[in-house]
Amino acid sequence: MTDTAVMHALYPLAEFPVLAALASPHTTATKLDGRACLHLYVRALGDIDWLALTSREREFMRTLGLFTICPCCGASALVRDTRDHVLSRSDGTPVTLTALTGDYCNACGEVILDGAEGQRVMDAAGELHRR
Ligand SMILES: [Zn+2]
């Protein structure tokens, strides 16, 4: 889809809980176009509970172009990337997880991983502590 198509398409609020909550005081519409969605997200950026977002809604926000702002430090420095991620064992030995895809912050180093990738990190971390 082109950017214009994204902005003019209509999106059902029922599929995006965080967006629906942001929109409810302002409109009774059940669908909003991309521009309206982006506007609501941008206005509420500081109040969005990032952990409550579904992966679908997160993907939608990315489609809208919202995902350039780091929820950790607030810098507009997030880039979609695939990088190696280093974990430390309890004895300090580094363990590298290769090719993790997520949104990396160039300012503070924070990474927001996709659901499946986050699970890989959790699994690897659990594995380390069992040893
Ligand atoms: Zn950051």
Side-chain angles (χ1 to χ4, degrees), residues 69-75 77-78 104-110:
I69 298 165
C70 176
C72 198
C73 72
L78 285 193
Y104 287 80
C105 178
N106 283 333
C108 74
E110 176 73 6

Side-chain angles (χ1 to χ4, degrees), residues 83-88 93-100 120 124:
R83 296 180 189 175
D84 294 346
H85 191 82
V86 181
L87 293 174
S88 294
T93 319
V95 174
T96 304
L97 286 166
T98 52
L100 279 178
R120 268 177 70 197

Side-chain angles (χ1 to χ4, degrees), residues 4-126:
T4 313
V6 167
M7 288 305 163
H8 286 103
L10 285 173
Y11 303 93
L13 292 177
E15 291 182 22
F16 308 109
V18 171
L19 181 64
L22 296 176
S24 63
H26 307 290
T27 178
T28 54
T30 55
K31 291 182 177 183
L32 291 175
D33 69 13
R35 272 179 311 184
C37 296
L38 183 60
H39 179 72
L40 284 169
Y41 281 134
V42 167
R43 247 192 1 184
L45 210 52
D47 301 320
I48 290 175
D49 182 356
W50 299 92
L51 295 176
L53 283 175
T54 63
S55 54
R56 187 193 164 106
E57 185 158 8
R58 201 185 293 206
E59 202 52 50
F60 174 57
M61 293 164 90
R62 178 173 296 133
T63 306
L64 290 175
L66 190 70
F67 255 112
T68 56
I69 298 165
C70 176
C72 198
C73 72
S76 301
L78 285 193
V79 289
R80 185 81 176 155
D81 203 358
T82 299
R83 296 180 189 175
D84 294 346
H85 191 82
V86 181
L87 293 174
S88 294
R89 281 189 204 170
S90 43
D91 66 2
T93 319
V95 174
T96 304
L97 286 166
T98 52
L100 279 178
T101 300
D103 296 294
Y104 287 80
C105 178
N106 283 333
C108 74
E110 176 73 6
V111 55
I112 299 136
L113 294 167
D114 297 347
E117 299 288 63
Q119 192 58 49
R120 268 177 70 197
V121 174
M122 300 288 277
D123 288 351

